[in-house]
């Protein structure tokens, strides 16, 4: 090894020790006859001094000309820092290394930005020069946290007798909702592999094969629209179990959450994690991944709206739609009329036509520009349903169930952040269960699986496959961390009759089923055990546990929101010879 120690481990007990350090020049300072360098590696910073009596003037001058971010090697003796010069912010702040000279291992040309600068450049520049961005301590801490979490996951499942099995990256295209990434086959002209959206089918086959506890840290690919917490290629902790029910799987993940929180973050999580059904989540919070770090639950006042003379409320209720609202406790004085108008425009982005609001006055009465349209009795009833107190701000949407859910969920999320209703360091985990089996596709009007076509219905809802598909609930469960979906799973169908009914509802005929899923259906005919599993989003876990809001901050080499890699310039064009060998022709127009 070129070094005897790293840049984060030297302490006062090392004073007098001869050491060799290697790292990057964070910054340097010329203090009149001596050059001070902050030497950095991923373990920390150490102050290095090149000055008398160890170094002569030529050596000092040479050290002063080393560019920032150059890689250097220094040999010297550990010494106490001068009295009053210790740096309590650094683990190595009580010592320095005094060196006669340094050796430049690789000089750095002027960088577009430096890892130590306080004002970071735009994300595009950081991604283009990702090798510089990854030198930042914040980025390195995030990736170390990621490594620690994955190790914790692997250790936990090893302790519970799971077998780690790798599944193929090149497989058959079996569309699951998002578009596949396709890979042309050179040896089978006109045919394509698909990159896996998940190992779903393979892990079910492993259950048929008798591997009753499978786990894998799997790379998955989906060609879908991106956002801050989604990537085209992502990592999930994937597992499957035989001879279990939903409670078994959720209980197992409860233990993983508690152990990870304790060992990685030093936080205690009370078990079992709270659970609520999908219907309850939508009724109380308007979303299937509610943030339970704060209250502000949605309240339905449609019963009162039916009795009022306020045209907007009355017409909505008479049409069979809903009037629902939230209470922002003590927020009446915090939002001016102009700010409430901004909130009104905000909810319009989610399909709402407007926002009705009331301020609870000191005497307990409700005031609003529309209050004159309500009888005192109806205002009192609304206040009672909303549990309004003086100083509260009550806000309502009158629309369809879907619009009130989307609008109030977004409004609640925004107000929770603006009013600082939760501690950003808090960790709240919960389960949402009993999702609908099916939902209507807006374009075709056909039933589609809310999870995937192998999800089992609740046993109590089996008859609804024939009589009431909309009311059929699935043996499905999502893990929610701080208002974000952090994992999802289901119990699978393992009998042919139920699977055929589900395929029929989804418009998948026997021929199509055999063509798409024949290998799995064939396996299920040969003694398939009851089984189920879950996939946990590793990238999102790390983002949430790190307290970050952008998933690209916890991935070493992420894609942009346009699915491109600015550092390698992928995706890129390929030679015509490669296309010819793959029997492909590009129809894209070349740029002028």
């Amino acid at each position: 090894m070129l070094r005897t120690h790293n840049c984060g481990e030297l302490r006062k007990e090392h004073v007098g020790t001869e050491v060799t350090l290697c790292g990057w020049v964070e910054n340097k300072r010329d203090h009149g006859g001596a050059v001070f360098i902050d030497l950095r590696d991923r373990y920390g910073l150490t102050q290095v001094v090149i000055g008398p009596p160890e170094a002569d003037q030529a050596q000092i001058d040479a050290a002063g000309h080393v560019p920032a971010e150059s890689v250097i090697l220094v040999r010297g003796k550990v010494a106490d820092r001068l009295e009053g010069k210790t740096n309590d912010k650094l683990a190595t702040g009580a010592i320095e290394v005094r060196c006669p000279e340094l050796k430049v291992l690789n000089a750095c040309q002027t960088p577009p930005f430096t890892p130590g600068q306080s004002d970071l450049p735009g994300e595009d520049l950081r991604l283009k020069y990702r090798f510089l961005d990854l030198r930042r301590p914040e980025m390195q801490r995030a990736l170390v946290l990621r490594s620690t979490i994955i190790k914790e996951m692997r250790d936990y499942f090893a302790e519970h007798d799971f077998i780690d099995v790798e599944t193929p990256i090149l497989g058959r295209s079996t569309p699951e909702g998002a578009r596949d990434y396709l890979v042309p086959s050179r040896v089978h002209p006109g045919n394509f592999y698909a990159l896996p959206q998940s190992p779903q089918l393979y892990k079910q086959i492993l259950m048929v094969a008798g591997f009753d506890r499978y786990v894998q840290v799997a790379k998955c690919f989906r060609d879908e629209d991106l956002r801050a917490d989604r990537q085209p290629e992502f990592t999930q902790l994937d597992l499957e179990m035989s001879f279990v029910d939903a409670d078994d799987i959720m209980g197992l993940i409860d233990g993983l959450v508690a152990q990870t929180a304790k060992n990685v973050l030093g936080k205690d999580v009370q078990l079992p994690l709270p659970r609520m059904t999908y219907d309850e989540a939508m009724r109380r919070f308007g979303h299937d991944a509610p943030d339970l770090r704060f209250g502000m639950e949605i309240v339905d006042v449609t019963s009162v709206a039916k009795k009022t003379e306020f045209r907007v409320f009355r017409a909505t209720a008479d049409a069979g739609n809903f009037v629902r609202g939230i209470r922002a406790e003590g927020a009446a004085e915090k939002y001016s009329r102009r700010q409430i108008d901004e909130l009104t425009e905000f909810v319009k982005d989610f399909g709402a036509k407007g926002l009705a609001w009331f301020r609870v006055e000191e005497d307990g009465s409700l005031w609003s520009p529309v209050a004159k349209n309500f009888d005192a009795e109806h205002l009192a009833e609304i206040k009672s349903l909303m549990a309004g107190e003086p100083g509260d701000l009550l806000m309502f949407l009158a629309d369809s169930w879907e619009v009130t859910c989307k609008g109030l969920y977004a409004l609640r999320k925004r107000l929770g952040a603006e009013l600082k209703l939760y501690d950003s360091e808090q960790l709240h985990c919960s389960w949402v269960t009993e999702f609908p089996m099916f939902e209507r596709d807006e374009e075709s009007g056909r039933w589609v699986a809310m999870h995937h076509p192998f999800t089992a219905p609740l046993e109590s809802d089996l008859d609804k496959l024939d009589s009431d598909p909309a009311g059929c609930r699935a043996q499905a469960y999502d893990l929610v961390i701080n208002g974000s979906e952090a994992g999802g799973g289901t119990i699978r169908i393992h009998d042919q009759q139920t699977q055929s009914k589900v395929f029929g509802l989804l418009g998948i005929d026997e021929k199509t089923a055999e063509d798409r899923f024949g290998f799995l259906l064939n396996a299920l005919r040969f003694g398939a055990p009851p089984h189920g599993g879950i996939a946990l989003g590793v990238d999102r876990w790390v983002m949430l546990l790190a307290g970050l809001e952008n998933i690209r901050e916890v991935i070493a080499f992420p894609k942009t929101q346009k699915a491109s890699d600015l550092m390698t310039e992928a995706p890129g064009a390929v030679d015509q010879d490669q296309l010819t060998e793959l029997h492909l022709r590009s129809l894209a127009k070349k740029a002028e």
Side-chain angles (χ1 to χ4, degrees), residues 485-549:
E485 180 191 339
T490 70
I491 297 299
R492 325 303 185 189
I493 298 171
H494 68 281
D495 69 279
Q496 193 62 42
Q497 184 179 4
T498 303
Q499 189 64 74
S500 296
K501 284 186 179 181
V502 171
F503 278 162
L505 284 167
L506 297 176
I508 302 173
D509 58 35
E510 187 175 342
K511 183 179 182 302
T512 303
E514 286 293 338
D515 181 57
R516 284 189 180 183
F517 314 111
F519 59 96
L520 174 62
L521 297 177
N522 193 38
L524 293 177
R525 297 182 185 110
F526 286 84
H531 59 283
I534 192 169
L536 306 176
V538 171
D539 310 305
R540 198 169 294 180
W541 265 56
V542 180
M543 180 186 75
L544 294 169
L545 269 59
L548 300 172
E549 297 181 353

Side-chain angles (χ1 to χ4, degrees), residues 387-436:
E389 296 290 340
D392 291 348
L393 185 62
L394 314 180
M395 289 163 281
F396 301 88
L397 296 185
D399 218 303
S400 66
W401 178 263
E402 291 77 13
V403 169
T404 59
C405 282
K406 290 179 181 178
L408 291 174
Y409 163 74
L411 185 61
R412 175 181 181 270
K413 185 176 180 180
R414 173 170 170 168
L415 294 176
E418 290 181 353
L419 296 171
K420 296 180 172 56
L421 298 183
Y422 56 87
D423 179 0
S424 60
E425 298 294 320
Q426 185 180 355
L427 183 67
H428 194 290
C429 307
S430 63
W431 290 100
V432 175
T433 65
E434 298 182 14
F435 284 77

Side-chain angles (χ1 to χ4, degrees), residues 57-170:
Q57 193 59 47
Q59 293 165 330
I60 295 170
D61 291 342
H65 288 88
V66 176
E69 291 306 309
S70 294
V71 184
I72 66 172
L73 179 150
V74 297
R75 291 190 180 92
K77 185 175 290 188
V78 181
D80 285 316
R81 288 207 191 186
L82 295 177
E83 187 175 349
K85 297 293 184 180
T86 58
N87 185 344
D88 294 333
K89 295 180 180 179
L90 288 180
T92 60
I95 59 91
E96 61 190 20
V97 177
R98 304 192 63 87
C99 305
E101 60 181 336
L102 59 81
K103 180 180 180 181
V104 178
L105 300 178
N106 201 321
C108 179
Q109 67 183 48
T110 303
F113 64 92
T114 58
Q117 69 186 62
S118 57
D119 54 332
L120 287 175
E123 188 179 45
D124 282 359
L125 187 64
R126 291 172 49 210
L127 291 177
K128 181 175 178 60
Y129 294 93
R130 191 61 162 179
F131 43 84
L132 292 177
D133 195 42
L134 286 172
R135 293 180 189 175
R136 292 193 297 118
E138 295 84 0
M139 287 298 306
Q140 295 188 346
R141 280 195 293 269
L143 292 184
V144 169
L145 177 66
R146 181 190 181 99
S147 176
T148 303
I149 289 173
I150 291 175
K151 181 181 183 301
E152 197 69 43
M153 288 176 164
R154 291 187 189 277
D155 290 347
Y156 179 82
F157 288 108
E159 292 168 1
H160 286 79
D161 296 327
F162 279 75
I163 300 170
D164 193 319
V165 182
E166 294 181 359
T167 53
I169 292 295
L170 298 177

Side-chain angles (χ1 to χ4, degrees), residues 244-430:
V244 293
D245 58 22
D247 287 336
D248 294 319
I249 294 172
M250 287 187 281
L252 180 78
I253 302 304
D254 277 6
L256 173 67
V257 170
Q259 182 169 307
T260 303
K262 185 66 174 178
N263 293 351
V264 177
L265 301 180
K267 295 183 177 181
D268 292 316
V269 173
Q270 186 174 351
L271 298 182
L273 297 180
R275 302 179 187 181
M276 70 175 67
T277 65
Y278 171 88
D279 287 344
E280 182 183 357
M282 299 303 291
R283 175 174 53 80
R284 294 172 58 191
F285 303 101
H287 198 268
D288 59 8
D291 191 338
L292 301 183
R293 290 175 293 179
F294 63 103
M296 201 184 288
E297 296 188 18
I298 297 173
V299 177
D300 193 326
V301 298
T302 309
S303 59
V304 184
K306 290 179 179 180
K307 300 182 287 188
T308 71
E309 296 304 317
F310 182 44
R311 184 174 55 84
V312 173
F313 279 17
R314 181 69 174 268
T316 299
D318 287 346
N321 288 317
F322 299 84
V323 180
R324 304 165 76 203
I326 56 176
R327 175 176 71 101
E329 186 177 351
E333 295 183 355
K334 298 177 182 178
Y335 285 88
S336 64
R337 286 289 299 273
R338 180 183 62 80
Q339 290 172 313
I340 294 176
D341 289 342
E342 290 176 0
L343 296 178
T344 302
E345 293 303 311
F346 173 73
V347 295
K348 288 181 179 179
D349 291 340
F350 302 92
K353 301 177 183 66
L355 179 70
W357 59 274
F358 295 90
R359 188 171 64 216
V360 183
E361 304 284 56
E362 286 300 317
D363 62 2
S365 63
L366 298 186
W367 184 91
S368 168
V370 300
K372 61 181 179 292
N373 298 292
F374 292 81
D375 293 342
E377 176 187 352
H378 297 148
L379 289 175
E381 202 170 342
I382 289 173
K383 177 190 168 187
S384 176
L385 286 172
M386 299 296 294
E389 296 290 340
D392 291 348
L393 185 62
L394 314 180
M395 289 163 281
F396 301 88
L397 296 185
D399 218 303
S400 66
W401 178 263
E402 291 77 13
V403 169
T404 59
C405 282
K406 290 179 181 178
L408 291 174
Y409 163 74
L411 185 61
R412 175 181 181 270
K413 185 176 180 180
R414 173 170 170 168
L415 294 176
E418 290 181 353
L419 296 171
K420 296 180 172 56
L421 298 183
Y422 56 87
D423 179 0
S424 60
E425 298 294 320
Q426 185 180 355
L427 183 67
H428 194 290
C429 307
S430 63

